[in-house]
Amino acid sequence: MRADPQHGNMLSMTADLHDYSENARLLHNLIRLGTVAQVAGGRARVRLSPKLTTTWLRWVTHRAGDARTWWSPSVGEQVVLLSPGGDLTAGVILQAVYSDAFPAPSDNPALHSTHYPDGAVVQYDFQAHTLSATLPDGTSVTVAPGKVTSNAEDTECTGNLLVQKNLVVNQNLTVNGMSALNAGMNVQAGKEGGAAAVIQGILRATVDVFAGSISLLKHPHGGVKKGEEESGGPK
């Protein structure tokens, strides 16, 4: 029985077309753009087209060994899907690509910043050498060369505070423990006037106390007389 050359050629062509189509599909799936559709339990699903969403896949992170980092992608975030051999079920998610839904938050090439969903921002400007963190309510801390600035309504230190140089407090300073001022103290009245310092308790001075040029320990009194008369004021 003789083989049918024409029928054999058609089968061969069909097989070749199938192989070509399959290879093209696998090649197309090697690297694809998509958006995160779901996130749960350290895995995510990626929507590649309106009719195609992947199974649950892992995403690429900075470290995943003895040191580990965690930052979950968000729904709608544009990502790159890397699929070894074109197999979408074996793909890994590479974060992330700016999109119209989530554009770049800055165009400053010297700025490294992270913007959180609640409005908080942490950033470092390597040209200005300035590190800052701002919370949603506007509370911020800025670290610049030789200076730390905080605009918090209240700043609480639960341990010891050691100030080697100057401490500037523009509002109130409350110290619940003992304060040691080793280089002296200069107290000035506020703009509204009044007492420069009010001490509710005993004031102890181991050397002396001066009011202007008058010494508390060594000042003389005028008009001193014996008997029950009072002396004059200190000189």
Side-chain angles (χ1 to χ4, degrees):
M1 182 175 181
R2 295 185 304 171
D4 185 347
Q6 184 176 0
H7 183 67
N9 290 338
M10 291 181 63
L11 290 177
S12 178
M13 289 177 62
T14 301
D16 290 344
L17 288 173
H18 178 269
D19 291 343
Y20 174 81
S21 177
E22 179 65 11
N23 289 336
R25 185 186 69 82
L26 295 175
L27 185 63
H28 176 67
N29 286 338
L30 285 175
I31 304 175
R32 295 192 62 169
L33 285 175
T35 57
V36 176
Q38 291 176 277
V39 181
R43 293 175 181 260
R45 300 181 68 194
V46 179
R47 181 175 292 108
L48 300 175
S49 70
K51 297 183 179 180
L52 178 59
T53 300
T54 69
T55 186
W56 293 99
L57 303 173
R58 297 167 297 168
W59 60 77
V60 176
T61 187
H62 289 96
R63 292 292 304 276
D66 56 354
R68 290 169 291 171
T69 56
W70 166 261
W71 200 342
S72 173
S74 58
V75 173
E77 184 173 358
Q78 187 166 246
V79 296
V80 178
L81 182 62
L82 306 177
S83 302
D87 182 5
L88 294 179
T89 63
V92 292
I93 303 167
L94 180 63
Q95 303 175 87
V97 182
Y98 294 126
S99 63
D100 292 338
F102 299 102
S106 174
D107 59 1
N108 182 358
L111 193 65
H112 179 205
S113 66
T114 302
H115 296 241
Y116 294 91
D118 63 352
V121 179
V122 178
Q123 60 186 18
Y124 179 70
D125 188 326
F126 63 80
Q127 286 187 346
H129 315 295
T130 302
L131 175 66
S132 65
T134 304
L135 296 180
D137 68 346
T139 300
S140 66
V141 176
T142 302
V143 182
K147 184 177 183 180
V148 177
T149 302
S150 170
N151 75 340
E153 182 175 350
D154 295 300
T155 300
E156 182 176 353
C157 179
T158 59
N160 297 324
L161 178 62
L162 176 63
V163 180
Q164 298 285 10
K165 291 189 176 180
N166 298 325
L167 174 65
V168 178
V169 180
N170 290 322
Q171 295 192 36
N172 298 323
L173 175 64
T174 301
V175 181
N176 293 321
M178 178 64 71
S179 297
L181 305 176
N182 298 323
M185 179 174 62
N186 185 356
V187 181
Q188 298 180 8
K191 295 180 180 179
E192 296 79 9
V198 176
I199 299 175
Q200 299 176 358
I202 298 173
L203 173 63
R204 297 183 184 276
T206 60
V207 179
D208 203 346
V209 176
F210 281 82
S213 61
I214 300 175
S215 166
L216 177 64
L217 296 178
K218 301 176 182 180
H219 67 267
H221 285 260
V224 178
K225 296 180 181 179
K226 292 182 179 181
E228 297 180 355
E229 295 185 12
E230 294 182 356
S231 67
K235 296 180 180 178

